[in-house]
Structure formats: C-alpha cells, structure tokens
Amino acid sequence: MTFLFSVDVEDVRLGVKDGYKYKERVPYNTRIYLKWLSEKNFKSTFFVTGDVGEKYPFLIKEIVEQGHEIACHTSKHIGLDEYTEEGFFDDMRNNISVLKKAGATDIEGFRAPSYSLTKQTEWVYPILKELGITYSSSVLSAKNPLYGWPEFGDRPRMTSSGILEIPLTIGKLGPLIIPYVGGIYFRAIPQIFIQKMVGKTTKKGLPLVGYFHPYDIDSGQERFMHGGIKNNHFYNWLMYYNRKNVLKKLNILLDSGNNIITYKKYIDRFKSETKQGY
C-alpha cells in the first residue's frame, strides 16, 4: 500500500509568547526522521514553513541532499481564513523563495497549516496555480474542532483550478471520523484500531495519507502551553501524549507492507492510472 508519510516542519515555539526562550528542537527531531527514513530506504515529502527555512537553511539542504521532496507550508503557519488573497500570495511567494534559497528545487506541493483549506478558503487554489504549485494535501474531509470540509470526500481529485488535492486519510472510530494516520490521533489511538482502519482504507484502493511534526517524536521537549488550543489543558496534555512510541507504531505499519513514497512519485502514478494531466 502506498503510504504518503510526510513531515510538517514547523517550530511550535513560535506559537507561544517568548517561545524562543525554550530549547531549539526542530533540527534534532527532523534528523531523527531523516535517519529513520534512511534506515528504511524510503523517500518522503517535507512540508516546510518559511520561518523554519530562514532560521535553519542547513536543514533544508540536508533534506534535499538525502533525496527527499521539499514542499510549502506557508511562511508563518497561520490558518488560511486569517489571510486576504493578496496576503496569501505574498506569504506563499516568500515561502517558495526562502526554500529555494536554502537549496530546494522543483517545489510543487502545498499543505495548509492545521488543514485549514475548506469550502470557504478554496479561493487559494488559483493563487497556488499561479505560483507554480501543482498539488495540495490540505483538506480534512470530516468535521473537526478547528477546520474541516466533510463534503470534499476521501479521494484525491483535480480541482477546477488544476490543483490535485490529496485529502488526509480518514477512518471511523466509534461515532467519530478522524485523520487517524497522523499527529495526536496516531499517537493516541491503540495500534489494533489503526490497523483495522488501514485495512478498510486499503480495500477502498486509497493511499495512506499521514502527517507528522518534529514535536510528535520529541519526548524530551520542555512543557509549555501550546498555541492555537485556547489554553485547553486537556488538548495540551494530548500534545505531549505517547510521543515515545510514534516510530515504533510507524514500524508496525511498514511491517504490514506499506511503502513510503514522495507526493511527486504518487502524482506520477495517479496521472498514469487516471490518464489525467494538468
């Protein structure tokens, strides 16, 4: 099964007041992912924010030199609903420029912060097209406390603007429909339930689309109240929950025959199988 494992390379400290007083962790944890991917002999996609690219250009160079794909994650990691069209264009142009300056080439992908691409913000697609982006993986096709676009559906499809949208993999856990292959969900859900949901996704013939962050594997990170969760102590507890077992759980997924590839490689297959162009 195709596993679109990816890393959203962002610095959670920037969402916290005086965040830089906490320890620097992004390069350390990103390199753990790189080492793990190298050991498995897989290539993946890293969606990188502009502020990370500016602060750690050497990290972008390392990712590229190891054969992985670099894609955009905006410059400042704020929800799409907080932008004007002009502001989003400028932000993305800067994101692309910073990543290219750091050594990235052929940047074609985009992921919206917090999966904030919804029916109300689909105006971003023509802008992405204008900037040379060919695909996005920004939609959560389910209801969610932050963002969601349930009507989009769970299958990759070409938008009217010519951008291929590859939504996050979702699964049903009791009454909930959740993006179970990433972040807090992946850390919190017992492996047996993850495997059952993977089986159902496989039967549908869909790729496994996941997302992880540097902090998702960081059991040594200092404790602080994360931004964007409205000072909710339960959500903040979840932000730290079970980080030590992420790679172990990922290894079980790979032992089940799931192969990690880059988004670019998947899109080549998609175009070939569906005979769709851009």
Side-chain angles (χ1 to χ4, degrees):
M1 184 176 185
T2 297
F3 185 10
L4 294 178
F5 167 88
S6 61
V7 182
D8 294 355
V9 189
E10 61 202 55
D11 193 339
V12 291
R13 297 179 302 168
L14 301 183
V16 180
K17 184 179 180 181
D18 300 322
Y20 278 128
K21 71 181 181 181
Y22 299 107
K23 292 179 182 177
E24 178 181 85
R25 303 293 290 176
V26 170
Y28 174 79
N29 290 298
T30 302
R31 284 168 175 155
I32 291 177
Y33 283 121
L34 289 172
K35 183 175 183 292
W36 177 74
L37 287 164
S38 177
E39 290 171 349
K40 298 294 182 181
N41 197 29
F42 288 130
K43 304 302 179 187
S44 184
T45 300
F46 290 72
F47 294 90
V48 186
T49 59
D51 48 27
V52 165
E54 287 179 331
K55 188 169 181 60
Y56 309 114
F58 59 86
L59 190 60
I60 309 306
K61 185 178 180 181
E62 290 177 29
I63 294 170
V64 172
E65 287 179 344
Q66 293 187 40
H68 302 289
E69 177 188 2
I70 295 288
C72 292
H73 198 35
T74 74
S75 290
K76 298 298 181 183
H77 200 272
I78 60 175
L80 297 182
D81 55 334
E82 298 184 47
Y83 287 100
T84 62
E85 292 189 24
E86 181 180 0
F88 178 70
F89 179 88
D90 291 341
D91 179 282
M92 279 294 296
R93 184 169 57 181
N94 178 69
N95 191 186
I96 293 169
S97 175
V98 166
L99 296 178
K100 285 186 174 180
K101 185 178 180 180
T105 58
D106 302 323
I107 298 174
E108 297 183 23
F110 169 73
R111 173 165 286 158
S114 304
Y115 312 98
S116 52
L117 210 168
T118 67
K119 182 67 176 175
Q120 288 69 42
T121 53
E122 62 178 336
W123 51 262
V124 303
Y125 285 130
I127 296 174
L128 294 175
K129 186 71 174 180
E130 183 179 353
L131 290 167
I133 300 298
T134 64
Y135 76 85
S136 166
S137 186
S138 305
V139 170
L140 170 56
S141 49
K143 293 181 179 179
N144 185 270
L146 293 176
Y147 301 98
W149 190 352
E151 300 80 17
F152 187 91
D154 59 359
R155 295 181 177 276
R157 63 179 171 88
M158 196 71 70
T159 69
S160 59
S161 299
I163 301 293
L164 178 63
E165 180 64 52
I166 306 170
L168 299 177
T169 292
I170 54 175
K172 192 171 183 181
L173 185 65
L176 302 175
I177 298 177
I178 54 175
Y180 67 91
V181 201
I184 291 173
Y185 299 94
F186 185 81
R187 288 190 271 113
I189 299 169
Q191 190 79 37
I192 187 171
F193 295 117
I194 290 176
Q195 296 299 122
K196 287 182 178 180
M197 287 187 278
V198 167
K200 292 180 180 179
T201 299
T202 303
K203 288 182 179 179
K204 291 182 179 181
L206 297 174
L208 204 59
V209 183
Y211 64 95
F212 296 85
H213 309 85
Y215 62 77
D216 277 313
I217 56 173
D218 190 0
S219 56
Q221 185 189 50
E222 296 164 278
R223 294 274 172 165
F224 53 79
M225 179 61 73
H226 285 67
I229 57 174
K230 300 179 180 179
N231 292 317
N232 186 301
H233 288 275
F234 174 69
Y235 287 160
N236 205 58
W237 174 79
L238 284 176
M239 288 294 293
Y240 290 93
Y241 178 71
N242 204 26
R243 293 180 175 187
K244 65 180 181 179
N245 286 319
V246 168
L247 293 181
K248 178 181 177 181
K249 295 179 77 173
L250 284 169
N251 284 336
I252 293 173
L253 278 189
L254 296 181
D255 289 342
S256 301
N258 299 299
N259 295 310
I260 294 173
I261 63 173
T262 65
Y263 274 76
K264 281 186 180 180
K265 189 169 184 179
Y266 170 75
I267 289 169
D268 288 341
R269 291 181 182 178
F270 180 87
K271 289 193 293 183
S272 175
E273 292 172 0
T274 62
K275 301 188 185 305
Q276 291 194 51
Y278 286 93

